[in-house]
Each structure stands twice: as C-alpha cells, then as structure tokens.
Amino acid sequence: MKRLGILMLIFASVCCAQESGNYQPSETNVWGSEYPRVDSTGRVQIRVKAPDATKVKVNFWSGPKVDMVKQPDGFWTVTTAPLVPGFHYYNLNIDGAEVSDPGTHAFFGGGRPASAVEVPEPGSTYYSAQDLPHGEVREVWYNSKVTGSWRHALVYLPPKYDTQNSARYPVLYLQHGAGEDETGWVRQGHANFILDNLIAAGTCKPMIVVMAYGYARRAGQPAPDLTGKPFGSPEMLKAMQDMAAAFEDDVTQALIPYIDSSFKTLSDRDHRAMAGLSMGGMQTFQITLDHLDLFSYIGGFSGAGGMLVLGDRKLDPKTDYNGAFADPGAFAKKVHLLWVGVGTAEPERMRAGLQRLHTSLLDANIQHIFYESPGTDHEWQTWRRDLKDFAPRLFPQISE
Amino acid sequence: MKRLGILMLIFASVCCAQESGNYQPSETNVWGSEYPRVDSTGRVQIRVKAPDATKVKVNFWSGPKVDMVKQPDGFWTVTTAPLVPGFHYYNLNIDGAEVSDPGTHAFFGGGRPASAVEVPEPGSTYYSAQDLPHGEVREVWYNSKVTGSWRHALVYLPPKYDTQNSARYPVLYLQHGAGEDETGWVRQGHANFILDNLIAAGTCKPMIVVMAYGYARRAGQPAPDLTGKPFGSPEMLKAMQDMAAAFEDDVTQALIPYIDSSFKTLSDRDHRAMAGLSMGGMQTFQITLDHLDLFSYIGGFSGAGGMLVLGDRKLDPKTDYNGAFADPGAFAKKVHLLWVGVGTAEPERMRAGLQRLHTSLLDANIQHIFYESPGTDHEWQTWRRDLKDFAPRLFPQISE
C-alpha cells in the first residue's frame, strides 16, 4: 500500500542508525540525511543522486565552487578543503540547473530557498540552544497603510515576558540582508538563542527583538518597469531609493506603532535600537539617522553607511545623512551607541568601505565602536558575533 | 562591485513588472518568480532553467507526472491539465536528481523542503488573510524529559489573547502528517487564517491551537538499526510502535503540562481537543483514546483509525483501542465529538478504509461525524476543509 510505504520509508530515514566516521551530518540537515557532513577540521562532504547528469557542481556563495565527481552508484560526491566555522549558503548546479540540495533544510537567501551547511565553531555555544530559559519567537501580521498590505514579522520575547505582568521591555529592531527575509535572524542567525544565552548569563538586558520583512512598495505604486534599463541605471537606482523610502515609512509609521500597541514595550527613544546586516545595515543608518527622535542605538553589521551608500569616498559629516554627524557633541548626547562591524575575510571592497567609514567617524570625532570579526566573510558567523558584541551594550540604564 | 550587483539583481526581481497573461504566479512563489503559474481553469505552467540537461520531469505527488520540454533558451517548460483547487506538492527530476523548483518557497513535506503550487479555489476566502483581527503564531521550545531534548512547537493564539487578561482558552492539539513537521499546519494549511476567519465570523470559539513535532525517540534509546530488515518487517513495525509510544508520552507528559503552565488555558478535559491529518490522525486516535481523562474532542483527517491501524478489517469495538468503543453510552458521555474526514478523490484504499471505519462506528452505535471533501485527494485542501468543519464544533459550552 503506497501511503504506508511512504510513511515507513520516512520513518526509516528519521529513526534508523546510519554509519559515519569522523564526519558528522550538518546541523542544517533534514532528518536522517547523512549529507552534507562535516569533519573536525571543517571539511565538508556533499553527496547528491543524479544518475543521468553529465556535470554537477557545488557553489558555496562565499567559498569554493567545485566540480563534483560521479560515482558508480549514480551519486555525485565532493570533499571541500576546510571551511571557516559558521553557516555557509550553497547551491548545486546539475547540468546547468541551479537547485538546492535536498539533504538540507531550506534557508531563505538569494531570493529563494537555499541550502546551507553549518561548520561548528569549536567551543562556541553562544548561538545554540542551551539548557536554560528560552524566549519565544512570535509570528505577527500587521496592517501597513504605507504598503496597503498585511506584513509578516517575527518578534522575539525574552524569558518570563508573559509571567512578569508589570515589566516593560526595550526593543531592538533587527534586519536581514538583501535576498533574505524576516526569518533569517532566527533560522540562519539563531538570534533567539544568542539572546537567551546572553540574558541567562546576565550580560544582556531582557529585550524584545523585532525582525521585519525589509522590502516594501507603497500602496498603489506600480512595480517599476525596468525592462531594457541597464544594470545600475538611474532608473534602477531610483527604484531602489523608492523601496528604501517606503520601507522607512513602513517601519516608522506602521511597524513601530503596531509593536508599541501590541507588546509591553518601553516606547521612548532611549529604549529603542535598530541594527541590520548588509542591506539591513544600510537601512538602519538611513532610518535611524532620519529619525533620531525614535532611536538612540544604531548598529551596522557589514553594511552600515559603507560603500553602498558612500561609494569609494569618505563620509562628509557636514552633509551626509542630512548632517547628523556634523556636531559630535550633539550626536553623542543623542546617540548612546553607534556600532559598526565587518569580517576580516569579507570582500576587499566591503572591508575597505567599512574601514573608511570607521576612519571617517574617527576624523569627525564621532564616538563609535568598530568591531572586526576575525577570519569570517560576508556570512552569518560574522553577524552572530556582531549581535553577541552589540546586544550587551544596549540599554545600560536598565537595572536588573 | 559584486555585492551591489547581487543586491540590485535581487531588487529587480522583487520590484519589477513582468509580463503575464491569464496565468498568474502561484501564491507559493518566491518574490518576482513568474513560475509556476496558474490559469483560471487550474492549469499549471512550470519553467526551470537546465540548459545542459537531457531529461527534466515534474512530479506532482498527488497529480500528474509529466516530461518537460526543452526550449531553445535552455529553459524547460510544461503545462499541465487543470488541477483540482488547493495546495499541491511537487518536485522536479533533472537528469535523475530529485530536486525542488527554485521558483517556489520551500514547504517541509516528504521529509525535505518541497516545492508547491497553489491553485486558487474560486470564491474561497476562508483560508487566506482577510482584513480582520489576526491571531499570533508563537514558536516555543519545551524541554521534554521523555525525549531528553528541547522540542520545537508552534502555538496559535487567538486575537485579543494578550489584552484580555482574565480570559482563559480551550486548546486544540493539531498534528501534521508523515514527512511533514510542526510548520505544516501554518505554512501549507493556513490554520491560523482559517481560525482568524472563523473566530471573526463568530462561528468558532476563540481557542489556542498547538502544533507539535510528531516524531519522537525516548531519551537514551538508540536509533533502531534496520539495516537489512525488509520493508514492513516486524522490526520496522516495532520501531514505528516505539516512536508512536514515545510521542504519546511526550504529548501527555511534557507538551500538555508545558502548554498549561505557559499559556492561559482551560486545562480540564472538557476544554481539550486533538486532531491530526494522515499519520497525525492515527496519533490522535491512539493518544486520545488512551487518555480520555485528558481529551474530549477527537478529529481524524484522512487518517484516524483507518486502514493504517486496522488494516482491511472492520473496527472491533470490544477490543480495538482497548475497548474504548465497547459501550456507546459511556463513550457518548465522555467524548463530545468524534469526527472523521476523507477526500472523495483520495486513493481508494484510504477512502475505503475510512468509509469502513465510519460504517464500523455506525454499527457500534458510536455517535460521530463523517465528512467527505468533494473532489480532493490526500492533500491540504482536504485538511483545510476538515479544519473549517471541525473547529466550529468544538467547545459549544463556551459562551461568547
């Protein structure tokens, strides 16, 4: 009987012991999937069934792009050189088709469900589930008049949120990167476990973390027709600016009011932070510096006002961001934390751009933190470390 | 600059107008993906780039399995015959590799991230987001001594849960099918929107819905080694029974106490229901009939005690389920609702099995509802309709 067959085969894959050596299945795998697997040196083995294919490649987005080798049993295999610890997106290319590996869960990146392997960082437990109180992640839908649509967001609530009825909490707005969505900080980043662990250790104040969907188009605004417009054309840049402006209004006019009316927040600027990675860092700089009446803590993770906003030039404190950096004393009074981070193995132009932002801020006498994640690329291990350094610096005025 | 390139390409895919005729992109698609797309008759067009492949097929799990046709531009395309409305899992086969379509979001089914297309049901709004109050879906992690692990579950809370401090709510435990996981009822089934819509219409009592991960292995119990054991062997059946028993203990000893201590529940048996689809229906029958001290409402969606438990025979009310059906009067006093459903287009053996359960229950004078979903297969449209019929029958004793 076919249904029973399916049930039993799935059951077998979930429950049955399978051989493995020094290699261990990646944490990102679906049940019972032995591949991808990782050894203690960080080497990754991939294996996929494609008996009739003539060429199969694996493409790590920030790592090796290598041909796989066909085995007599119809499977294709490859072993990489050791990869740096962390979460690595990849896809397969099977006879020219760019597809995901069915052996791993899907993580939304690059604008589609992507495969990923997790290379453990020896001794690092800060981003995994520990035996201590866990917060909740809530899915919420809010009605945005800006976009004219119901929008989905994830909200982390710290342990005891429900039982401490009189407590109110500060809020961190935390944004994903381009090609990702509101699920990234939990699924890929483990932001919830990072916060659980920091809060349990007493090194971070209990806070609400809001993770929103970082794309927006104004209600009634047609999708821009960029047919025939070259890459980087003024029309495309204009469309990007329109999207950024619509998202800014969505955050300030729809999301923040929704959060403050739905959760037990401390709703003044002294208890509101924003941070984001890559595109989310750019959005953070734009939104917070346009709205210092709303925010007092600012984090840019591998994005910030780096080269994507400033290009290859230095920050001009008098004019950039409407002169928000023009008066260091006034800025320091308003902004309790300005935090910029980058991985030392990120692409040179990203690294140099953020380094230049850092020196620009130094030259302008703007107090800030510049954090460099050793050995990590434009990937989630960098942003996990960023959050681990950033979150404990927030809301020092709150007593335990 | 490569990063900017990625950002702008993704942006273009999110924001830019693309041509379409009577065909509309499936609701399940990632941003900007025009395929799969569906016309008003339910025909589905699939398109995938695989320039060097020699054979590409599409496999609808409960539908057509068809060869795709290579086009001069390196894309493969196909148009299906009209499909019945609803959510249809499928995968691609590219030169022998079973993979997902990068054009759709990933839905966990068949033990891995699967593709799916949504064929709209004309006039049906009951499972989509409407402009009315929305409940929340919370992700929770609970520590199970039964399995010795942190387990993940989703919990739907009705609108106003947070603001009506003195209110307490009944609970429906709602289980996924084999190969799916705790995300299925929200992602595939839209259970949250079904409940939102029913509650707003006043046809269903506000309730908490708990969606748990339906696989379990006891703490310290090794994975059974089924190497060389034939499909359906006594060893495999034993392993399945062990898993079912472990899940039963997890629900009754870990999950229910966690839910009742974490949420504002009505925690007596008169305010606790359980239902599930396919494997989840079997689990529901086993768990509720073993624990009538805990449950008083029972729903089996395309599963129940059908052929997977009973085989090809009728129910024996004196012996099956430890004689829970032996005394119709006693059963009716204890069980406020016994509900069994099946789609009329399900595989014959499933349909016949549930029909036989229905007639067995009639013969045994057991009060129950037997619901047949017209024209739908062993798929989510059946189970959405099941929930829409089942939920309003729960907890009639609660006044508005």
Side-chain angles (χ1 to χ4, degrees):
Chain A
M1 193 277 158
K2 195 184 161 208
R3 296 283 157 200
L4 182 59
I6 291 170
L7 176 64
M8 296 186 79
L9 285 174
I10 288 165
F11 170 78
S13 78
V14 177
C15 281
C16 305
Q18 298 185 29
E19 50 101 32
S20 76
N22 177 20
Y23 281 93
Q24 294 292 324
S26 169
E27 275 179 30
T28 52
N29 289 8
V30 300
W31 321 306
S33 177
E34 281 290 304
Y35 293 85
R37 58 187 202 175
V38 187
D39 79 358
S40 55
T41 70
R43 292 187 303 175
V44 175
Q45 289 187 328
I46 313 262
R47 181 172 182 262
V48 63
K49 186 177 179 183
D52 307 318
T54 54
K55 187 164 192 182
V56 178
K57 293 185 287 190
V58 60
N59 171 22
F60 283 90
W61 299 1
S62 295
K65 291 105 172 79
V66 285
D67 288 337
M68 297 179 70
V69 178
K70 191 171 187 176
Q71 307 299 328
D73 60 3
F75 283 83
W76 295 68
T77 58
V78 72
T79 303
T80 70
L83 303 185
V84 67
F87 176 98
H88 304 291
Y89 286 118
Y90 71 96
N91 63 268
L92 302 175
N93 185 304
I94 299 177
D95 285 347
E98 300 250 321
V99 294
S100 295
D101 182 344
T104 88
H105 279 283
F107 300 89
F108 204 79
R112 64 187 203 181
S115 303
V117 64
E118 183 79 63
V119 176
E121 178 157 322
S124 272
T125 57
Y126 73 91
Y127 55 91
S128 57
Q130 304 296 320
D131 193 4
L132 43 78
H134 288 271
E136 285 180 350
V137 175
R138 296 197 196 179
E139 296 190 57
V140 297
W141 287 262
Y142 65 99
N143 198 343
S144 172
K145 290 216 166 65
V146 176
T147 63
S149 60
W150 286 92
R151 288 171 64 85
H152 184 238
L154 298 184
V155 180
Y156 168 85
L157 299 177
K160 302 188 198 162
Y161 176 89
D162 273 328
T163 52
Q164 296 192 330
N165 282 328
S166 61
R168 301 192 76 85
Y169 299 85
V171 185
L172 165 62
Y173 290 80
L174 187 62
Q175 284 303 121
H176 60 83
E180 297 169 339
D181 69 13
E182 71 278 19
T183 64
W185 266 108
V186 171
R187 297 279 166 274
Q188 286 93 307
H190 301 183
N192 52 320
F193 296 135
I194 293 173
L195 269 288
D196 287 344
N197 292 331
L198 291 171
I199 291 169
T203 53
C204 166
K205 302 299 160 59
M207 66 183 78
I208 295 169
V209 182
V210 178
M211 295 156 281
Y213 179 73
Y215 313 90
R217 190 162 65 220
R218 288 186 197 285
Q221 184 187 328
D225 183 2
L226 299 180
T227 313
K229 304 295 184 235
F231 173 74
S233 64
E235 291 84 357
M236 184 177 271
L237 290 172
K238 167 70 165 54
M240 290 183 71
Q241 285 164 0
D242 287 348
M243 184 167 87
F247 180 62
E248 179 171 343
D249 286 353
D250 177 65
V251 169
T252 57
Q253 297 169 24
L255 180 62
I256 290 176
Y258 167 77
I259 293 295
D260 284 332
S261 67
S262 305
F263 294 95
K264 296 182 289 182
T265 64
L266 295 162
S267 61
D268 60 314
R269 67 180 297 284
D270 286 334
H271 296 92
R272 192 179 295 117
M274 185 171 186
L277 72 95
S278 201
M279 178 182 82
M282 291 184 285
Q283 293 171 327
T284 295
F285 264 52
Q286 174 178 327
I287 293 171
T288 56
L289 296 173
D290 276 356
H291 296 277
L292 288 177
D293 54 318
L294 295 175
F295 295 94
S296 60
Y297 297 84
I298 304 170
F301 303 171
S302 307
M307 85 285 142
L308 287 171
V309 171
L310 300 176
D312 286 333
R313 65 176 176 79
K314 294 190 69 168
L315 176 79
D316 179 346
K318 301 294 179 207
T319 58
D320 284 325
Y321 295 106
N322 299 316
F325 298 111
D327 179 344
F331 188 85
K333 266 191 201 155
K334 277 203 159 173
V335 177
H336 307 318
L337 176 66
L338 178 66
W339 193 105
V340 174
V342 68
T344 63
E346 295 205 34
E348 177 55 20
R349 199 163 163 191
M350 175 67 73
R351 220 193 48 65
L354 287 164
Q355 183 78 44
R356 191 163 48 240
L357 175 66
H358 165 50
T359 54
S360 294
L361 292 169
L362 286 178
D363 291 348
N365 286 313
I366 298 291
Q367 285 263 18
H368 68 284
I369 301 289
F370 184 59
Y371 170 80
E372 294 175 279
S373 165
T376 59
D377 205 333
H378 198 70
E379 287 197 304
W380 277 98
Q381 202 73 352
T382 301
W383 307 320
R384 289 169 176 165
R385 291 177 181 172
D386 288 349
L387 183 60
K388 176 171 165 253
D389 187 273
F390 178 74
R393 299 176 187 271
L394 300 176
F395 318 119
Q397 73 274 28
I398 294 175
S399 56
E400 285 303 320
Chain B
M1 193 280 161
K2 194 182 160 212
R3 294 285 157 201
L4 182 58
I6 292 170
L7 176 63
M8 296 186 80
L9 286 174
I10 288 163
F11 171 77
S13 78
V14 177
C15 281
C16 304
Q18 297 187 30
E19 50 102 32
S20 77
N22 177 19
Y23 281 93
Q24 295 291 326
S26 169
E27 275 179 31
T28 52
N29 289 8
V30 300
W31 321 308
S33 177
E34 280 291 304
Y35 293 84
R37 58 188 201 173
V38 186
D39 80 358
S40 54
T41 70
R43 292 187 303 174
V44 175
Q45 289 187 330
I46 313 260
R47 182 173 182 261
V48 63
K49 186 178 179 183
D52 307 319
T54 53
K55 187 163 192 182
V56 178
K57 294 184 285 189
V58 60
N59 171 23
F60 283 90
W61 298 1
S62 295
K65 292 108 173 73
V66 285
D67 288 337
M68 297 180 70
V69 178
K70 190 173 189 176
Q71 307 298 328
D73 61 1
F75 284 83
W76 295 69
T77 59
V78 73
T79 302
T80 70
L83 303 185
V84 66
F87 177 98
H88 304 292
Y89 286 118
Y90 71 96
N91 64 267
L92 302 175
N93 186 304
I94 299 177
D95 284 347
E98 299 252 320
V99 293
S100 296
D101 181 344
T104 88
H105 280 283
F107 300 88
F108 203 79
R112 64 186 201 180
S115 302
V117 64
E118 183 79 62
V119 176
E121 178 157 322
S124 272
T125 57
Y126 73 90
Y127 55 92
S128 57
Q130 304 296 321
D131 193 5
L132 43 79
H134 288 271
E136 285 181 351
V137 176
R138 296 197 196 179
E139 296 190 56
V140 298
W141 287 262
Y142 65 99
N143 197 344
S144 173
K145 290 217 166 66
V146 176
T147 63
S149 60
W150 286 92
R151 288 170 64 84
H152 184 238
L154 298 185
V155 180
Y156 168 86
L157 299 177
K160 302 187 196 162
Y161 176 89
D162 273 327
T163 52
Q164 295 191 330
N165 282 328
S166 61
R168 300 193 77 86
Y169 298 86
V171 185
L172 166 62
Y173 290 80
L174 188 61
Q175 284 302 121
H176 60 82
E180 297 169 338
D181 68 13
E182 72 278 20
T183 64
W185 267 108
V186 171
R187 299 278 165 276
Q188 286 94 306
H190 301 183
N192 53 320
F193 296 135
I194 294 173
L195 268 288
D196 287 344
N197 293 330
L198 291 171
I199 291 169
T203 53
C204 166
K205 302 298 161 57
M207 65 183 78
I208 295 170
V209 183
V210 177
M211 294 156 281
Y213 179 73
Y215 312 90
R217 192 162 63 222
R218 287 186 198 285
Q221 184 187 328
D225 182 2
L226 299 180
T227 313
K229 303 296 183 233
F231 173 74
S233 64
E235 292 84 358
M236 183 177 270
L237 290 171
K238 167 70 164 54
M240 289 182 73
Q241 284 163 1
D242 287 348
M243 184 167 86
F247 181 63
E248 179 170 344
D249 285 352
D250 178 65
V251 169
T252 57
Q253 296 169 25
L255 180 62
I256 290 177
Y258 167 78
I259 294 294
D260 284 333
S261 66
S262 305
F263 295 94
K264 295 181 291 181
T265 64
L266 294 161
S267 60
D268 59 314
R269 66 179 297 282
D270 286 333
H271 295 91
R272 192 180 294 117
M274 185 170 186
L277 72 94
S278 200
M279 177 182 82
M282 290 183 286
Q283 292 170 328
T284 295
F285 264 52
Q286 175 177 327
I287 293 171
T288 57
L289 295 173
D290 277 356
H291 296 278
L292 288 177
D293 55 317
L294 294 176
F295 296 94
S296 60
Y297 297 84
I298 304 170
F301 304 170
S302 307
M307 86 284 144
L308 288 171
V309 171
L310 301 176
D312 287 333
R313 64 176 176 80
K314 293 190 69 168
L315 175 79
D316 180 346
K318 302 292 178 210
T319 58
D320 284 323
Y321 295 106
N322 300 316
F325 298 111
D327 180 343
F331 187 85
K333 265 191 200 154
K334 276 203 161 174
V335 177
H336 308 316
L337 176 66
L338 178 66
W339 193 105
V340 174
V342 69
T344 62
E346 294 205 35
E348 176 55 23
R349 198 163 164 191
M350 174 68 73
R351 220 193 48 65
L354 288 163
Q355 183 78 45
R356 191 162 48 240
L357 176 66
H358 166 51
T359 53
S360 293
L361 291 169
L362 286 178
D363 292 348
N365 285 315
I366 298 291
Q367 284 263 17
H368 67 285
I369 302 289
F370 183 60
Y371 170 80
E372 294 174 278
S373 166
T376 59
D377 204 334
H378 198 71
E379 288 198 303
W380 278 98
Q381 202 73 352
T382 301
W383 307 320
R384 289 169 176 166
R385 291 177 181 173
D386 289 348
L387 182 60
K388 177 171 164 253
D389 187 272
F390 178 75
R393 300 176 187 271
L394 301 176
F395 318 120
Q397 73 275 27
I398 294 176
S399 56
E400 286 300 321

